[in-house]
Amino acid sequence: MSQPSAPRRTPGRPPRISREEIIRTARRIVDEEGVAKLTMRRLASEVGSTPMALYHHVRDKEELLVLLLDDYATRTLRRPELPADPRERAVAAATAIHEALAACPWIVEVLTADDLMSTSALWFVEQIVDGLAEAGLSPERAVHGYRAIWYYTAGEIVVRTTAARRRTDDDRATYREQVFAGLDADELPRLAQVADRWAPLTATDTYQDGLRALVHGLLAARPA
């Protein structure tokens, strides 16, 4: 007995899609596979539409990434209670940024392009710049200070995430571990002294310690 043929799809316009559906699907792609896998063609296929239909909602991939940044900032960034001390205010705002980005490292990859940003996150930038300015830096040097804090924050997340991914993907001893196991104590006495503890020492979360040292250093170096 022959099987009934599958119903044929009626040609016509692709199903209507919303911007919310586009953002939700794009977020799933980058969460699971990374930013490089997010293309307009791939996204259109995932939502059952065409690339041309997507352009009615987003101009291009760059605008889509900005929408993703705003979506993530709105959902995850929480404004902390700010201390009265302006230096600690800058530390609190930077720490909030770090905590949000550490939970979603692909965001850092997008932000390091240095020309994309989430307007929803500008409140945090304002607190850092204002804290540094109130603590004694000129507006220009406060912006430079924010940039140094951002580079430190982004770099810390990228390095830590990449190292964790490598340890997950490959349980063999890393090249660094092999090198440190055979250090010459006469040539490198300090490193040899802590060689067997290097991995746990460098894996310790010292972000806030480094952040405070950076903030205090920026303020100590201000012109008289």
Side-chain angles (χ1 to χ4, degrees):
M1 183 176 178
S2 61
Q3 297 292 326
S5 58
R8 297 179 60 185
R9 297 182 62 181
T10 303
R13 292 183 177 181
R16 292 179 63 84
I17 53 176
S18 65
R19 175 173 283 200
E20 291 73 20
E21 182 182 6
I22 290 171
I23 294 174
R24 184 170 59 252
T25 305
R27 186 171 68 235
R28 177 176 56 78
I29 293 172
V30 296
D31 281 342
E32 294 176 355
E33 303 179 44
V35 176
K37 296 296 184 181
L38 178 62
T39 65
M40 300 300 277
R41 184 176 297 278
R42 165 74 182 281
L43 182 58
S45 174
E46 292 282 343
V47 298
S49 187
T50 65
M52 189 58 65
L54 291 184
Y55 293 123
H56 291 295
H57 299 275
V58 290
R59 183 176 62 252
D60 49 28
K61 181 177 177 179
E62 184 170 287
E63 183 180 13
L64 177 60
L65 290 174
V66 171
L67 290 173
L68 283 175
L69 291 176
D70 272 331
D71 170 71
Y72 186 77
T74 301
R75 289 185 299 105
T76 64
L77 273 177
R78 298 291 178 264
R79 297 183 179 186
E81 292 290 332
L82 295 177
D85 186 305
R87 294 169 298 181
E88 287 302 308
R89 192 157 72 241
V91 168
T95 299
I97 293 175
H98 179 268
E99 289 176 353
L101 296 184
C104 194
W106 69 261
I107 294 286
V108 177
E109 180 183 345
V110 174
L111 291 174
T112 49
D114 219 27
D115 60 347
L116 298 180
M117 66 174 61
S118 165
T119 55
S120 302
L122 288 179
W123 180 88
F124 297 84
V125 179
E126 166 73 15
Q127 305 315 312
I128 296 172
V129 173
D130 180 64
L132 295 176
E134 190 176 326
L137 296 186
S138 68
E140 295 77 14
R141 291 182 70 86
V143 171
H144 294 164
Y146 160 72
R147 183 182 61 184
I149 290 171
W150 165 241
Y151 287 174
Y152 167 62
T153 301
E156 198 272 350
I157 292 172
V158 169
V159 171
R160 189 174 296 277
T161 301
T162 303
R165 186 183 303 121
R166 167 152 186 189
R167 287 193 295 270
T168 300
D169 295 341
D170 190 347
D171 58 1
R172 294 176 299 177
T174 65
Y175 178 69
R176 185 184 65 188
E177 289 169 341
Q178 296 174 41
V179 170
F180 271 58
L183 288 181
D184 185 339
D186 292 329
E187 182 180 4
L188 305 167
R190 291 296 186 189
L191 293 183
Q193 183 182 19
V194 295
D196 60 339
R197 292 174 287 143
W198 188 267
L201 285 173
T202 55
T204 303
D205 183 359
T206 58
Y207 171 76
Q208 275 208 345
D209 292 339
L211 176 61
R212 283 195 170 87
L214 178 55
V215 169
H216 285 236
L218 289 168
L219 296 172
R222 67 185 183 273

